[in-house]
Amino acid sequence: VALVQTPQSFYNPDPIARNLGMEDVLTPEEEVFYRQIQRVRDGAGGVVCAGTSFVVRRTALESVGGFVTEAVSEDFFTGIRLTAKGYRLIYLSEKLSAGLAAENIASHAVQRVRWAQGTLQSFFISANPLTIPGLSFMQRLAYFEGLLHWFSSIARVGFLLMPLAYAFGVTPLAIEDNGILYFFLPYYLVQLATFSWLNYRSRSALLSDVYSLVLAFPLALTVLRVMVRPFGRGFQVTPKGTVSDRYRFNWDLAWPLVVAFGLTAVSLWINLGNSLMMDEWGGAAHLRGMALGWIWSAYNLMMIGIALLILLDAPNPDNREWFDLRRIVKLSVQTPDQATTTYWGYSTMLSERGGEFALTTAPTAELSEAPVTVELMDESIQLTGKVVRMAPGELPLVRISFEQPPLPSERQLVALLFCRPGQWRSRCAPGELRSLWLILAILLRPRVLFDRDVDIRPVQVTQV
C-alpha cells in the first residue's frame, strides 16, 4: 500500500448552499465524489489522490520521483504514477479531517476550472493514464471516466441551447405527445427514483442539474481551451478567508446565462404559440415536437433563473466559521464599579473569535463593552473578552468577542471546535419532491429580497 485517502469534511457550507440560504439542507458538492465516485474507483483499483486528507509512504513517493509537476493537478497524477508502479491506493470512507471550502461562487469557479484544466492536461504529459505502462484495463477505464467527465459541460451547454432551435423552425427532436408520454416520461421518472439511491443520497437529480448549470459555460470554455493550449494558464490558488457585508453579483460568470435566459424566454413564447396552433393546422409535420420544445424551454428557464440567483454571493461577515455548539458556560462580568457578577447559561454559537450565549437570568445592568471571563465548564476552557451585543428575551442572548487566548486555551478551543470524534458526519440530500419544493421556494422567495440579514449563521454540527 502506497497511499490511503480519506474524505475531507468541509466545515463551512459551499457557496451554492450559502447563496441560496440552504446551508442546513444541501450537502457539499464534494459529497458526490467522496460518497460515490471514490468508492467505485476503489473497487476498480483507480482511487484518485485528491490533494487533502491522504497519507503516502515516503519510500513509495521517492520511487516515482516525487510529486508530478508537469500539470497543475499534481496530486491526481502522482496517484496515477504510484498505481502504475504497482503500489496500491486505498480509499478509507471515514472523515478524519476538516477544511475550508471555497467561500464565494467566484472562488468556487476558480477551483473547478483549475481541476478541469489539470485533469485534462493528462492527454499531454507522460503520466497520461491511457498510455502510461503498468495500469490494468479497469484502472485505465476508471481514470478515463475522470477525464471524460469534464466534457459533459459541453453537452450541458448544448442541451441548454437546443430548445432555441424550435423557435427558428428547426426541430432537433421530432416527437409527438404520445412519444413524450411513453418514452421520455418513464425515463425521467426512473432517473428521479434511482439517482439519489445510487449515489448514497449525496445529491438529488434536480439539484445536480442546478449545480451543473452554474459552471457549464466556464467549464466548457476551459475544456476547449485546454485541448488547444494545454499549458496556456498556470496554477491559480483558490481564494479563501474572504469577508463581505453585502450581496455581490458575479457578472463575469453570469453574462452567458443572462443571454441564454433572454433567448430562452423568447423561444418559450414562440414555441408555446406554435404549439397552440398545432390543432388549427392539423398537426403539420414541421410542428411535431413543439410540445417538447416549450416544455424544455420552460424547464431551462426555471433552472437558469436559479443559477442566476446562485451567482449572487450572500454576505459573509466573518472569515472564521461559527458552530451551532451547546456547552454549559459561566460568565464572570466586571461591572463599572469593579465588582464581578456571575451568570450561568449555555452557548448557542462558538468560534475561535467569539461566542453567543443564552443566560438563565436577565442581566441587572447594561453589559455592552463590559470585560467578561467565559468558562466552558465541561472542557475547563477559560477565555476572556468583551460583550459586543445583547438581545433581550426569555433567555437573554449575549455575544462576546474573545481576546487572543493563551496557547494552551487556544489549543483546547480548536480541539473543541474541530477535533471532536464523530463531529463530521455525512448528511443526506433532500429527496426529489423536497428538492422540487426547494427550487420553487428559491424562485418565489429569493434570499436577496426576503432575507437580507447579514448576521452570522452557525454551521450545524453534532453535539457529542
Side-chain angles (χ1 to χ4, degrees):
V1 174
L3 182 144
V4 176
Q5 172 83 58
T6 66
Q8 180 185 21
S9 180
F10 295 93
Y11 53 77
N12 65 318
D14 67 36
I16 294 178
R18 188 195 299 272
N19 291 353
L20 295 178
M22 301 290 179
E23 298 97 323
D24 302 333
V25 178
L26 302 184
T27 56
E29 188 186 18
E30 290 82 0
E31 283 291 321
V32 177
F33 175 77
Y34 284 125
R35 202 181 298 183
Q36 179 194 34
I37 298 175
Q38 279 283 62
R39 292 183 179 184
V40 175
R41 291 181 179 277
D42 188 45
V47 171
V48 172
C49 177
T52 54
S53 303
F54 71 88
V55 178
V56 60
R57 292 181 182 271
R58 183 187 182 111
T59 53
L61 190 59
E62 290 175 342
S63 70
V64 297
F67 284 97
V68 176
T69 58
E70 296 175 83
V72 297
S73 294
E74 80 293 337
D75 46 6
F76 176 62
F77 296 111
T78 301
I80 291 175
R81 278 193 176 174
L82 288 168
T83 304
K85 189 76 172 178
Y87 290 104
R88 187 180 176 192
L89 277 61
I90 294 177
Y91 176 67
L92 176 63
S93 184
E94 183 179 350
K95 294 185 176 182
L96 301 176
S97 68
L100 190 66
E103 295 166 297
N104 56 54
I105 202 67
S107 302
H108 181 82
V110 167
Q111 187 180 60
R112 268 49 180 183
V113 165
R114 186 183 73 238
W115 291 353
Q117 175 188 354
T119 305
L120 294 174
Q121 285 174 340
S122 63
F123 290 113
F124 308 96
I125 65 174
S126 59
N128 184 345
L130 303 181
T131 59
I132 189 172
L135 296 182
S136 67
F137 172 77
M138 288 301 298
Q139 289 172 328
R140 295 187 194 278
L141 188 63
Y143 287 124
F144 180 62
E145 183 277 333
L147 308 182
L148 199 62
H149 158 75
W150 298 107
F151 289 90
S152 64
S153 59
I154 299 177
R156 186 65 186 89
V157 172
F159 282 116
L160 181 66
L161 301 179
M162 190 178 294
L164 304 181
Y166 289 99
F168 298 98
V170 178
T171 307
L173 293 177
I175 184 171
E176 297 180 354
D177 293 347
N178 58 353
I180 298 175
L181 182 63
Y182 297 149
F183 296 99
F184 175 76
L185 185 59
Y187 164 78
Y188 196 69
L189 292 177
V190 169
Q191 183 185 32
L192 293 179
T194 60
F195 186 89
S196 180
W197 170 65
L198 288 172
N199 63 52
Y200 300 97
R201 295 195 65 189
S202 57
R203 183 67 49 78
S204 72
L206 290 172
L207 293 175
S208 289
D209 200 21
V210 175
Y211 273 64
S212 67
L213 181 57
V214 172
L215 298 180
F217 283 97
L219 289 178
L221 182 61
T222 299
V223 171
L224 297 176
R225 186 181 66 244
V226 172
M227 291 296 101
V228 177
R229 296 185 59 202
F231 304 102
R233 284 191 177 184
F235 186 92
Q236 287 185 283
V237 177
T238 303
K240 294 178 182 177
T242 57
V243 176
S244 63
D245 60 355
R246 58 179 59 89
Y247 284 90
R248 188 178 69 85
F249 193 65
N250 293 273
W251 283 107
D252 290 343
L253 296 173
W255 72 262
L257 292 175
V258 172
V259 173
F261 186 90
L263 294 176
T264 303
V266 173
S267 172
L268 174 61
W269 179 263
I270 297 174
N271 291 338
L272 187 57
N274 289 337
S275 295
L276 293 175
M277 289 188 294
M278 284 185 66
D279 292 337
E280 181 182 344
W281 288 6
H286 67 280
L287 289 176
R288 291 175 183 172
M290 283 298 178
L292 177 61
W294 74 259
I295 294 173
W296 198 345
S297 296
Y299 177 83
N300 282 348
L301 203 62
M302 179 177 68
M303 290 300 179
I304 295 173
I306 297 174
L308 291 174
L309 290 176
I310 289 174
L311 295 176
L312 185 65
D313 281 327
N316 184 25
D318 198 333
N319 61 1
R320 299 295 180 93
E321 293 299 327
W322 292 56
F323 299 95
D324 177 21
L325 193 60
R326 302 288 189 268
R327 288 296 185 270
I328 297 174
V329 298
K330 182 176 75 172
L331 305 182
S332 301
V333 182
Q334 186 175 350
T335 58
D337 59 0
Q338 302 303 313
T340 301
T341 305
T342 300
Y343 298 95
W344 288 88
Y346 62 88
S347 61
T348 59
M349 296 191 299
L350 275 177
S351 79
E352 296 172 83
R353 290 187 173 179
E356 186 175 81
F357 308 94
L359 306 182
T360 56
T361 57
T364 56
E366 176 64 33
L367 303 183
S368 297
E369 300 299 321
V372 60
T373 299
V374 180
E375 187 173 355
L376 303 175
M377 304 305 294
D378 293 336
E379 288 78 16
S380 299
I381 302 175
Q382 197 169 78
L383 304 161
T384 59
K386 64 179 181 179
V387 178
V388 295
R389 181 186 298 182
M390 289 185 60
E394 183 178 353
L395 292 176
L397 293 177
V398 176
R399 188 170 296 181
I400 297 173
S401 176
F402 297 149
E403 297 175 352
Q404 179 63 38
L407 186 58
S409 297
E410 184 178 12
R411 287 177 172 172
Q412 286 180 288
L413 181 60
V414 169
L416 171 65
L417 295 176
F418 300 98
C419 307
R420 291 174 294 117
Q423 175 178 357
W424 308 112
R425 294 180 179 176
S426 296
R427 300 200 314 270
C428 291
E432 300 301 342
L433 288 178
R434 191 181 180 198
S435 296
L436 179 60
W437 169 252
L438 291 174
I439 287 174
L440 295 176
I442 291 166
L443 285 173
L444 298 176
R445 191 179 175 84
R447 181 178 181 181
V448 65
L449 298 179
F450 295 92
D451 186 12
R452 299 189 62 85
D453 186 7
V454 296
D455 197 13
I456 293 168
R457 295 190 177 208
V459 177
Q460 301 295 319
V461 293
T462 58
Q463 300 296 322
V464 294

